[in-house]
Amino acid sequence: MSSKPKVAFYWNASCGGCEEAVVDLAEDILQVVEAVDIVFWPVALDFKKKDVEAMDDGEIAVSFINGAIRTDEQREMVELLRRKSGLVVAFGSCAHIGGIPGLANFYNRELIFDRAYRTVPSTPNPDGVLPRTSSDIDDDELTLPEFWDTVKTLDQVIDVDYYLPGCAPPPDLIMDAVTAILEANLPEKGTVLAPRKNLCDTCPRSESKPDKISIESLKRPYEIEADPEKCFLEEGIICLGMSTRSGCGERCINANMPCRGCFGPAEEVFDQGAKGLSAIASILGLEKEEELTDEDIERLIDRIPDLAGLFYMYSLPSSLLRRKKL
Amino acid sequence: MSEDPRIVVFCCNWSIYPGLQLSAIDENPDDLPGVSHIVSMCSGRVSPELVIEAFVNGAWGVMLAGCPTDECEHDGNYKTRKRFIMLRKVLEEFGIEPGRISMDWFSTGEVAKLKQSVREFVDRITEMGPARVVKEQELG
Ligand code: SF4
């Protein structure tokens, strides 16, 4: 029997990008495979739930779990993995703070089903059939897991030891985390395994950023060709680097796209969306702010539709409000 | 039986709060049922996070009583005005009506004006009822 530490990977409400991130470790993955035994990884290996059930409690050294939680089946699986694992790492934005699937918290099951199965033009469904937890087909019962009204982060469902942020987490942070686990050199429980700085502190554009920026007109990224040397805010494009944790390797910034917050709140930020909103509102029309009427301010703000979706793009389930009450 | 509204009024430490304390010798600033006054070091310190926190903790409405625009020592009220206008729009998408967030500006001596504004705000919010905020145990 192998004495290597056992590792599991699991996915929930996610896009598959986190699985891709593991594969993106390239040659480094060989080191990982050398050092550990992967005992469960539905996307790549043929182990089943019953194999996990057959293990002793705590037998898996660490489970890396990606995706938000929004069905009964996902809860059952993460509860099982929690029992069987010494450590659980919330892997990626969706497990950490809710991620893009978390935007569904502006709706509920009924509204989502109605859109996805009835009113969306690309889904012909003349009988208006909706997913059900149980259906009888030719005397057989077919079941589907219950779909929740609310998307939750992993730590709202099970106890989580560490967080690896990002959409998806970058290879260097994954390798740092794996190495720290293998060497038993881990920080305090609950730590986000990424730098403590915010993105603006490490952004290559911050050097040329003027001390004072005043946004005279907000722009959406497609409306202008952004200067790759300038801070996005100078050009009126909302960038959430001030409220977001660094560590992503500035991948979006280097691709000339503004930050949308996938690394979660910077240290000491309680509500990433509210903090981002506050930072942007403060510099809106800053130059002549004394002269602005309330109506002028509204006009400046109204250039951007769906501000809540923008400021809470990745963090709605972990925000103070958590969802819209319908 | 109708519930008393729960209202938070953030008052600036350098203008209206001292005024309120001086005037409160025979009248408690919290004399309206359900209204809590919280002193803030500058209206600029009343962040959107604090306002949301108030709603999460059961506030039906939040009012900001800051210094008149040209009397703030720190230009905080100009920033907060923009933040509150943006916050109203963001919270509307969560189902929290813009009318639940009020801001007005008062000099030290304008206690009567503040009390009048608070009374009007309480009336408006009482009519609206509790804010639509989901409690942990209601999350499905
Ligand atoms: S706001 Fe965006 S572009 Fe500007 S310094 Fe911060 S992260 Fe970089």
Side-chain angles (χ1 to χ4, degrees):
Chain A
M1 256 240 351
S2 153
S3 60
K4 291 194 236 172
K6 295 188 170 80
V7 170
F9 294 97
Y10 194 66
W11 53 0
N12 296 292
S14 57
C15 67
C18 283
E19 316 289 332
E20 196 65 48
V22 178
V23 179
D24 276 352
L25 291 174
E27 299 88 69
D28 283 348
I29 198 163
L30 299 176
Q31 282 177 42
V32 177
V33 173
E34 190 101 312
V36 304
D37 245 349
I38 300 177
V39 293
F40 190 55
W41 191 9
V43 77
L45 302 173
D46 197 24
F47 297 108
K48 304 287 191 233
K49 181 182 170 200
K50 64 176 171 19
D51 300 313
V52 180
E53 283 168 336
M55 290 181 199
D56 290 337
D57 285 358
E59 188 176 331
I60 301 172
V62 52
S63 282
F64 293 97
I65 301 180
N66 73 67
I69 312 295
R70 72 152 329 142
T71 70
D72 280 354
E73 183 199 36
Q74 290 162 351
R75 176 172 54 201
E76 191 183 322
M77 285 305 297
V78 300
E79 283 175 352
L80 172 67
L81 285 166
R82 176 67 275 184
R83 258 199 325 280
K84 303 293 177 183
S85 310
L87 293 175
V88 165
V89 177
F91 189 99
S93 306
C94 303
H96 175 207
I97 51 175
I100 299 290
L103 284 170
N105 285 358
F106 283 120
Y107 307 89
N108 59 14
R109 173 176 48 214
E110 192 188 331
L111 291 168
I112 292 168
F113 279 9
D114 193 54
R115 178 68 185 151
Y117 297 102
R118 286 202 174 112
T119 63
V120 74
S122 54
T123 303
N125 182 9
D127 299 333
V129 179
L130 295 179
R132 281 175 301 198
T133 50
S134 167
S135 312
D136 285 324
I137 309 276
D138 301 335
D139 292 337
D140 274 329
E141 191 197 12
L142 297 180
T143 60
L144 280 175
E146 185 71 89
F147 183 97
W148 299 351
D149 277 328
T150 300
V151 175
K152 296 183 180 175
T153 62
L154 186 61
D155 67 1
Q156 288 163 357
V157 179
I158 59 166
D159 192 36
V160 166
D161 297 288
Y162 296 100
Y163 303 85
L164 250 177
C167 180
D172 59 330
L173 292 191
I174 301 175
M175 278 314 287
D176 287 353
V178 170
T179 311
I181 292 166
L182 290 175
E183 293 174 354
N185 181 20
L186 281 159
E188 196 189 337
K189 181 178 166 171
T191 301
V192 178
L193 302 174
R196 295 172 64 91
K197 294 180 169 171
N198 68 30
L199 181 61
C200 290
D201 289 337
T202 58
C203 174
R205 303 188 188 200
S206 66
E207 256 168 53
S208 64
K209 188 175 171 181
D211 288 343
K212 186 174 169 184
I213 293 179
S214 175
I215 298 182
E216 304 315 324
S217 169
L218 288 167
K219 306 268 177 7
R220 301 177 74 187
Y222 76 87
E223 292 178 317
I224 57 166
E225 205 169 309
D227 180 336
E229 305 296 323
K230 277 191 184 162
C231 170
F232 283 106
L233 301 176
E234 279 184 78
E235 303 200 82
I237 296 174
I238 294 180
C239 181
L240 301 179
M242 283 180 278
S243 49
T244 302
R245 185 186 290 271
S246 174
C248 55
E250 293 79 33
R251 292 174 295 188
C252 296
I253 306 289
N254 291 334
N256 211 13
M257 287 302 285
C259 173
R260 288 294 176 254
C262 81
F263 254 60
E267 215 65 30
E268 283 158 30
V269 170
F270 299 111
D271 188 294
Q272 193 183 5
K275 191 74 184 178
L277 173 174
S278 180
I280 298 298
S282 311
I283 57 172
L284 203 56
L286 181 63
E287 203 60 63
K288 296 201 180 88
E289 61 182 357
E290 316 82 36
E291 293 164 28
L292 295 175
T293 63
D294 289 4
E295 292 70 38
D296 293 335
I297 297 170
E298 296 214 10
R299 259 195 303 280
L300 284 172
I301 295 171
D302 285 342
R303 289 261 316 123
I304 305 294
D306 186 20
L307 279 170
L310 175 56
F311 290 122
Y312 289 95
M313 191 174 283
Y314 283 89
S315 65
L316 183 56
S318 56
S319 67
L320 288 169
L321 286 165
R322 293 185 56 174
R323 61 161 299 123
K324 176 178 182 173
K325 184 168 182 175
L326 290 155
Chain B
M1 197 192 79
S2 69
E3 236 182 301
D4 278 335
R6 298 180 67 186
I7 286 168
V8 175
V9 184
F10 289 102
C11 300
C12 181
N13 188 47
W14 308 106
S15 56
I16 196 63
Y17 197 72
L20 208 51
Q21 283 175 314
L22 289 175
S23 79
I25 297 163
D26 57 356
E27 205 182 347
N28 187 324
D30 292 334
D31 59 353
L32 281 168
V35 179
S36 315
H37 291 78
I38 297 180
V39 59
S40 121
M41 278 308 175
C42 173
S43 59
R45 175 66 187 80
V46 184
S47 67
E49 283 174 303
L50 282 179
V51 177
I52 296 174
E53 184 99 46
F55 282 115
V56 169
N57 284 295
W60 296 17
V62 175
M63 183 170 176
L64 172 75
C67 307
T69 39
D70 50 353
E71 289 178 28
C72 177
E73 296 279 322
H74 320 284
D75 287 349
N77 49 8
Y78 289 119
K79 309 275 176 304
T80 289
R81 185 168 63 123
K82 294 184 289 179
R83 290 182 196 132
F84 268 50
I85 293 174
M86 202 185 254
L87 180 64
R88 279 184 187 143
K89 289 186 187 284
V90 168
L91 290 190
E92 198 172 5
E93 290 190 61
F94 282 86
I96 298 175
E97 306 88 331
R100 293 185 185 275
I101 302 175
S102 160
M103 56 182 160
D104 220 331
W105 319 105
F106 307 90
S107 295
T108 312
E110 294 184 310
V111 175
K113 180 183 160 198
L114 172 72
K115 291 199 168 176
Q116 181 59 27
S117 294
V118 173
R119 254 178 235 120
E120 284 168 14
F121 188 56
V122 169
D123 287 347
R124 192 167 88 216
I125 296 297
T126 307
E127 203 138 293
M128 294 172 90
R132 298 180 65 75
V133 172
V134 182
K135 298 190 183 67
E136 171 86 35
Q137 63 274 19
E138 298 169 349
L139 288 172

